[in-house]
Structures are given as C-alpha cells and as structure tokens.
Amino acid sequence: MRTLVYTGFMSLDGVLDSPGGPQEGHRSGGWVVKDLEFVPEAWSLKGEELSDTTALMFGRRSYEAFASVWPASEDHASYKELPKYVVSSTLSDDALVDGWGPTTILRTTEDIQKLKESEGGSIYIHGSAELARRLSEAGLIDQYNLLVFPVLLGAGKSLFHRADRDKQMLSLRESESYSNGIMKLIYDVKR
C-alpha cells in the first residue's frame, strides 16, 4: 500500500490560500515569503520530502499552476521525471504539459484508492486544498507534513472542512519550531 502525504504551508488559522503570491486573488497573497526572516532550517522539510517522493498528485488548478513553473525550476529538478497524477473531472489529456514526466488523470476517489493499493512509494500532494480536503474526508490521506506560519489571514481556502464529521485522530511524528516563528508539524493519521 502506498502512502498518500499532504504537504503544505498553513497560516496559524488554517488557511492554505495563495502562500507564494496573489494567484488566487487572496489579498494577503505571498504570506510565506513576506514579513518573515528567512531561516534556512525552517525549509529543511522540503528537502527531506524530495528524497521520499516517488510520485506527485495535484488537483487541476494546482497542476496548472505548478506545471507552468516547476518543469524549469532547478529546485524541483528531481520532480521532473516522477509520475504525476492529476485529479480532475474536467482536464483533458491534451491539456497535460509535455516534458514533465508521465502524467495520469484520475477522475474519482475510487481511482485514487486503486492507486494507493498499487506497488510503489509515497505520493505527495502539493497545494490542492480542495483535493486534500476531499481526500481527507474520504479517509485517503495517511500523513500531513505542515509548515505552520505565524500569521492570521482570516479567510481563504482551508485544508479541513468546517462541517460536522466523524472525529479523526492524528499521531505527532515530528515537530520543530524555528526562530522566525514557523513550526514544522508532521502527523500520521491513526487508523
């Protein structure tokens, strides 16, 4: 069974929206890179993830955003040939980016469950708040790798739905705090 890992940047009040810039129109877009001292060790999680990732998964909008930048990014060169999975009911095969490794479109949560049951290593979800929320509700995410930033945004996309649902327990695998206020939190989902 493959492990499905959500990795993301989160504000203290749970917002994932527009961490690198105003692409989705959030008025505080870019909150990951603004107003905080750069502390290299706070980003070490991203390097650790590079070595563990055997495939990437995106929702359609995140795929389109990352596919326009990551294929030419030296920081993400090791992702270039990895298998990619895009979960979308609307994306067509001709909209996939050439030269960015094998890419498969998944249409349903059943497709994702079958992928998880296949042979292989960890699959990482970057961005893709709506997809992550849907997969969390379906019990398909196994681990959360979060960098929590000392900022309150008040509005924006959240990783977790606010509706009443069954309780789901997590087990803290690792945590660390950094001098600029960022916290690394790695949780495994208890089954």
Side-chain angles (χ1 to χ4, degrees), residues 3 15 82 96 98 108 111 124 134 147 155 175 179 183:
T3 301
V15 175
L82 288 178
L96 298 176
D98 290 329
T108 67
D111 292 340
Y124 277 75
R134 197 169 76 218
L147 288 178
S175 67
S179 61
M183 290 197 63

Side-chain angles (χ1 to χ4, degrees), residues 42-117:
W43 300 96
S44 63
L45 176 62
K46 295 294 140 191
E48 295 162 14
E49 289 174 348
L50 282 171
S51 64
D52 188 46
T53 302
T54 62
L56 299 170
M57 183 177 287
F58 304 99
R60 180 190 52 81
R61 281 186 295 237
S62 291
Y63 171 77
E64 290 170 344
F66 290 129
S68 68
V69 177
W70 281 11
S73 167
E74 288 184 31
D75 290 339
H76 299 92
S78 62
Y79 286 167
K80 190 167 186 168
E81 296 305 319
L82 288 178
K84 291 158 194 80
Y85 299 94
V86 184
V87 181
S88 174
S89 61
T90 59
L91 190 70
S92 62
D93 286 330
D94 62 339
L96 298 176
V97 172
D98 290 329
W100 199 33
T103 304
T104 303
I105 299 173
L106 303 174
R107 302 289 183 197
T108 67
T109 47
E110 290 78 19
D111 292 340
I112 298 164
Q113 180 63 45
K114 287 178 191 171
L115 174 64
K116 281 190 61 170
E117 292 169 358

Side-chain angles (χ1 to χ4, degrees), residues 9 16-34 153:
F9 305 122
L16 305 173
D17 217 353
S18 304
Q23 295 90 332
E24 294 184 31
H26 192 280
R27 68 185 177 131
S28 297
W31 50 270
V32 162
V33 293
K34 292 180 182 173
L153 297 171

